[in-house]
Amino acid sequence: MAGQVSKPSTDVPPLLAEKHAEYVRSFSKIWESTDKIEFVATEHFWMSGMYWGLSAMALLGRLEDMDLQAIVPWVLSCQHSNGGFGGSSRNDPHMLYTLSAVQILALCDQLDLVDADKVANYVASLQQPNGSFVGDQWGEVDTRFTYCALLCLSVIGRTSAIDVNAAVHFIAQCKNFDGGFGCTPGNESHAGQVFTCIGSLSLTDKLQVVDRDLFCWWLCERQTSSGGLNGRPEKLQDVCYSWWCMSCLSILGRLHWIDQKALTNFILSCQDDEDGGISDRPDDMADIYHTFFGIAGLSLMGYPDLKAIDPTWALPCEVVARIKARNTPA
Amino acid sequence: MVMDASAKLLKVVPEIYTIWNFRREALAPVFEAGGEPAQKASDTELSLTQACLVENPKSYSTWHHRKWVVLKGMCNLDAELRLVSNALDADERNFHAWNYRQFVVRLMKRPLQEELLYSEDKVAQNFSNYSAWHYRSILLHRLHCAADTTGAEHAGISAQLQGLHVGTGAYASSIPSAAPSDNSTSTNVPSASPAPPPREADASTIHGANASSTHEADASSSTERSQGGALSGGGGPESSGLPSTTGEFLGSATQQVPVPVEVLDEEYDMVHQAFATDSRDQSPWMYYRWLVGNSLAHLEQAKGTEAEVQARTILEAVLARETQRMRVDHLAADPNAKWPLLTLARLREAQGRLGLCAGEGNDTSAAAAAEANSIYERLICLDPLRAGFYKDALEGKAFVVVSALGSGTV
């Protein structure tokens, strides 16, 4: 069985907020580390890493601890003339990093610094006749890119730039026998993909496409005896699924179908209590990705002293409120 | 050579997508020109991606680059099928590999029956191979239920095969234009060549043909590398076509009709074999739920027609047979086994709701419903992580299998 018995609560520390804040802060100027071997392997997705780090800090109520004065210009330096953003200033534009960039600017309340029409142009240029989105001009199709497109345009207030109905139709084609969704039609349900599809349907107010009970049951079956969640049947639990699965359950109103106490204990047992950060499983090495998604999962479950996160937008609720107010004509 | 250096780096960090982009830009004119150099380039890229996949079999960028190369039409598709079969032997749950398999199978126009046999082999090797069961559901749907010919089947590769569309960014029009504009006013977006080449012929010509249809885009700005891309003839009218963009989306959009009854009977046998091997693997149980959904759908779709009576008779027999198997094959030996219990509860719930208990002798709908509820009560204790779900099921708030095909209504 893919699980281990969860540790009794007394062994598990509470959320070590200060340690995690220190851990994330150490990545504040990640682009200055190009000489370090370990960063060569991550440079192509620094933009996403920065979004994960900033969001984690925002949920911890410590966004101002990050060097926003340096981060925002760095983000802008990654924009290409076609409006898209790359993973770093040396990387080509791509849908994934365009979303991350826009999310960062939203977190920092600096959306005015970006030309919304230019970004919308770029995103819209990647929609295919069948409603799907490619990640860039090289043609990879994936429902992740649909979510990126819809969320990015929602943040900058330009959803009219694309054919929303066609986008939703493509998502519907990716639905599987188990009520879940894959990356393209015919591909296996996987919690990460499932989140991007549910998020897309949530943004477009088309959740009726989802077979709610069937799908949420599939999601609650992700919880293993460890208390953690896996991403699909017979796989190992991983902290990141605390987000991918829980956000869907939250959107669909079925958070109570998993054992939140057991999941909370699992996430907390994945903390590095010396150097801070959260890892995929207990005693593994921490990273920014799992640190954010662990904290995000805890936030969804109402863990104390964390800001609320919006399960659709993957941003703090107060940031989403600010975005919506900004996009609403006076 | 920069290409050699990039190859070295990619074997270690294959997800640096910009480096793959660079390679494609450099290679595009080589493929365009065709002949020996193009064949050599194809072989080199296949060799490189293979080496990368050995190190990182789950790299999105690597699999995608290989697709790009294969679509140049200078490779052997049987070899591609072998490669992906090897990848699935190494890791039967690698969804990148399953995705690639579907890509190759479509290009080869391999008969679906052969793929069904392949999935049967994979399931026989390991009954908990959820990916193989999932593949079966896709294949059976395509073989028997494919009312949908929206081209969604091709969506996974439509961008390459049927014409990648990269728009000019004129987003004022709500639907992307089917043909690339030849006088883009924006210098910021790669624009397609004014005279798109003839559309690529269908997939069957790809193997062995010089199907190169790429062409360089105009350089977008002097400060950037030429954004030459895989822009083929643009999203022409014979691409997947604009999907219906009106109307409601209800329930299981991909499956409108159930798998035929005779086929279902064979599938039930297959899952029962899996249960016999190890009834704790959840994969066949999840597939089983779908089978029951299909069985229920036959009645649902026959309602109000002259086929209804026969549909009821057939379904009644199926439900009686299956409840019996749960009791005899599983619960007799292990009365607290979660999956057979949960399955029995759902079967009884279906019998109760549909008034199909005659097969159970003197059983009544009320008795069926009561048994279902008493099982949910027990599952709250036996499977406590999901107590919240079972409580909702007790209150009738969790229609999972009773809703045929997941359509959400009874």
Side-chain angles (χ1 to χ4, degrees):
Chain A
M1 277 268 282
Q4 63 206 58
V5 178
S6 54
K7 291 183 188 173
S9 297
T10 45
D11 282 0
V12 172
L15 183 66
L16 306 166
E18 200 41 59
K19 289 245 175 215
H20 301 319
E22 259 180 60
Y23 173 78
V24 175
R25 254 197 306 271
S26 69
F27 292 98
S28 204
K29 288 198 200 171
I30 195 168
W31 59 89
E32 289 181 346
S33 314
T34 47
D35 55 331
K36 289 190 185 153
I37 295 286
E38 62 265 28
F39 291 111
V40 172
T42 60
E43 182 179 348
H44 58 281
F45 64 94
W46 279 347
M47 191 62 72
S48 294
M50 190 58 70
Y51 154 69
W52 298 325
L54 286 170
S55 298
M57 292 300 266
L59 294 178
L60 291 169
R62 290 166 163 82
L63 184 62
E64 297 67 38
D65 290 0
M66 297 293 274
D67 192 347
L68 305 182
Q69 305 287 351
I71 288 170
V72 169
W74 173 78
V75 169
L76 296 174
S77 77
C78 299
Q79 189 174 27
H80 291 254
S81 56
N82 67 1
F85 288 76
S88 76
S89 54
R90 297 198 290 182
N91 273 281
D92 286 345
H94 195 280
M95 183 76 93
L96 293 171
Y97 309 114
T98 303
L99 171 65
S100 294
V102 161
Q103 285 176 304
I104 292 168
L105 294 172
L107 278 164
C108 301
D109 198 11
Q110 299 287 307
L111 284 170
D112 290 342
L113 292 179
V114 82
D115 180 339
D117 291 327
K118 196 155 142 180
V119 174
N121 247 13
Y122 173 74
V123 170
S125 76
L126 297 175
Q127 186 165 31
Q128 298 305 295
N130 70 352
S132 67
F133 284 85
V134 292
D136 61 17
Q137 63 179 331
W138 298 103
E140 186 187 359
V141 174
D142 191 309
T143 47
R144 289 179 295 152
F145 308 144
T146 303
Y147 174 69
C148 289
L150 286 167
L151 183 55
C152 182
L153 294 176
S154 297
V155 172
I156 61 178
R158 295 287 189 277
T159 42
S160 57
I162 58 166
D163 184 346
V164 172
N165 272 350
V168 171
H169 186 94
F170 177 74
I171 296 281
Q173 299 300 317
C174 296
K175 187 159 60 166
N176 293 318
F177 78 101
D178 46 24
F181 296 81
C183 55
T184 52
N187 281 286
E188 184 183 347
S189 302
H190 176 282
Q193 304 295 150
V194 138
F195 165 70
T196 60
C197 292
I198 299 299
S200 297
L201 295 172
S202 174
L203 281 168
T204 53
D205 196 25
K206 293 280 196 238
L207 286 170
Q208 65 266 32
V209 170
V210 183
D211 306 313
R212 192 176 293 240
D213 292 324
L214 171 62
F215 172 60
C216 289
W217 171 69
W218 185 87
L219 281 176
C220 82
E221 283 289 346
R222 299 304 104 241
Q223 192 163 30
T224 69
S225 54
S226 70
L229 308 178
N230 63 23
R232 42 184 181 141
E234 329 287 1
K235 289 289 198 161
L236 282 179
Q237 56 278 355
D238 183 321
V239 152
C240 66
Y241 297 115
S242 310
W243 172 259
W244 306 124
C245 297
M246 296 295 282
S247 52
C248 296
L249 287 168
S250 174
I251 289 167
L252 295 167
R254 302 278 191 275
L255 269 178
H256 60 288
W257 281 10
I258 64 121
D259 184 327
Q260 296 185 29
K261 189 149 175 273
L263 177 59
T264 298
N265 278 348
F266 175 78
I267 298 172
L268 295 174
S269 70
C270 293
Q271 300 178 95
D272 182 332
D273 55 16
E274 279 185 31
D275 300 322
I278 297 176
S279 59
D280 58 354
R281 258 161 249 127
D283 304 322
D284 281 351
M285 219 171 91
D287 59 50
I288 288 269
Y289 173 87
H290 290 96
T291 302
F292 168 55
F293 289 117
I295 291 173
L298 290 172
S299 168
L300 280 176
M301 292 190 284
Y303 194 88
D305 300 322
L306 287 177
K307 301 232 170 158
I309 187 167
D310 184 298
T312 297
W313 296 61
L315 289 166
C317 291
E318 60 190 29
V319 173
V320 177
R322 188 169 67 207
I323 290 168
K324 287 180 176 172
R326 182 176 180 270
N327 291 338
T328 306
Chain B
M1 280 296 298
V2 183
M3 291 292 269
D4 290 342
S6 73
K8 288 195 170 90
L9 187 53
L10 286 169
K11 283 177 199 168
V12 180
V13 197
E15 285 300 294
I16 307 181
Y17 63 99
T18 300
I19 300 194
W20 290 113
N21 295 351
F22 166 78
R23 283 190 87 84
R24 287 189 281 266
E25 285 167 24
L27 290 168
V30 175
F31 283 113
E32 182 83 21
E36 261 305 307
Q39 183 63 61
K40 189 154 181 293
S42 177
D43 295 343
T44 302
E45 295 310 286
L46 290 181
S47 178
L48 171 61
T49 49
Q50 182 156 359
C52 290
L53 287 171
V54 165
E55 302 295 325
N56 290 285
K58 300 185 187 179
S59 160
Y60 284 100
S61 302
T62 310
W63 286 106
H64 179 247
H65 188 73
R66 199 174 179 96
K67 284 183 188 173
W68 182 84
V69 175
V70 165
L71 284 172
K72 297 302 178 197
M74 309 189 96
C75 70
N76 180 318
L77 291 176
D78 290 311
E80 292 309 300
L81 193 64
R82 277 196 301 276
L83 175 122
V84 78
S85 298
N86 288 341
L88 288 172
D89 284 343
D91 179 359
E92 62 201 6
R93 300 299 302 281
N94 184 342
F95 65 81
H96 301 266
W98 282 105
N99 180 319
Y100 191 75
R101 188 181 181 92
Q102 294 198 33
F103 166 78
V104 171
V105 157
R106 282 198 202 98
L107 282 180
M108 294 173 79
K109 296 194 148 85
R110 187 165 150 89
L112 292 177
Q113 280 293 355
E114 294 195 25
E115 285 302 284
L116 213 47
L117 283 172
Y118 176 78
S119 78
E120 200 173 330
D121 283 344
K122 295 308 276 183
V123 151
Q125 282 166 24
N126 178 6
F127 281 117
S128 90
N129 187 345
Y130 194 88
S131 305
W133 290 109
H134 160 83
Y135 195 40
R136 275 192 97 68
S137 76
I138 297 295
L139 293 167
L140 288 175
H141 176 240
R142 288 211 182 117
L143 271 170
H144 300 288
C145 324
D148 88 303
T149 50
T150 60
E153 291 187 31
H154 299 296
I157 50 169
S158 67
Q160 292 100 337
L161 194 57
Q162 302 190 23
L164 173 65
H165 173 76
V166 177
T168 60
Y171 71 77
S173 59
S174 59
I175 294 174
S177 52
S181 161
D182 59 2
N183 55 357
S184 163
T185 54
S186 166
T187 55
N188 295 331
V189 176
S191 53
S193 152
R199 282 197 60 74
E200 219 167 272
D202 74 337
S204 58
T205 65
I206 283 183
H207 178 44
N210 180 2
S212 164
S213 63
T214 60
H215 52 275
E216 291 284 275
D218 298 335
S220 52
S221 97
S222 56
T223 58
E224 296 180 43
R225 296 203 320 281
S226 167
Q227 297 280 304
L231 300 173
S232 58
E238 57 270 38
S239 68
S240 55
L242 291 171
S244 160
T245 58
T246 58
E248 289 297 298
F249 300 104
L250 294 172
S252 187
T254 51
Q255 185 176 3
Q256 307 290 345
V257 297
V259 170
V261 169
E262 326 73 65
V263 176
L264 286 175
D265 283 340
E266 286 169 13
E267 296 300 307
Y268 278 117
D269 279 341
M270 197 179 297
V271 284
H272 280 295
Q273 278 176 52
F275 296 157
T277 306
D278 186 349
S279 66
R280 286 163 306 165
D281 291 328
Q282 60 178 252
S283 302
W285 292 102
M286 296 220 156
Y287 186 75
Y288 182 92
R289 187 231 57 90
W290 179 69
L291 297 179
V292 176
N294 277 275
S295 294
L296 296 177
H298 279 283
L299 175 56
E300 188 169 304
Q301 297 196 350
K303 272 184 187 157
T305 76
E306 31 184 54
E308 182 173 350
V309 172
Q310 199 199 13
R312 282 187 73 84
T313 308
I314 292 173
L315 181 58
E316 192 163 63
V318 168
L319 293 176
R321 177 190 79 207
E322 292 304 313
T323 54
Q324 191 65 357
R325 293 201 76 158
M326 289 304 127
R327 296 189 204 281
V328 171
D329 296 355
H330 301 282
L331 294 169
D334 185 359
N336 291 326
K338 168 204 163 157
W339 285 102
L341 269 180
L342 178 56
T343 299
L344 179 62
R346 289 167 169 173
L347 292 168
R348 295 297 273 148
E349 193 172 349
Q351 286 177 319
R353 286 177 178 276
L354 297 168
L356 291 173
C357 303
E360 301 264 348
N362 290 329
D363 205 3
T364 63
S365 291
E371 183 175 11
N373 279 355
S374 96
I375 292 175
Y376 289 132
E377 293 269 15
R378 287 170 60 197
L379 284 168
I380 289 171
C381 302
L382 291 169
D383 187 20
L385 288 175
R386 280 158 277 277
F389 166 73
Y390 296 123
K391 284 174 187 163
D392 273 5
L394 261 178
E395 293 173 32
K397 287 191 210 164
F399 303 148
V400 170
V401 79
V402 182
S403 55
L405 302 181
S407 63
T409 57
V410 174

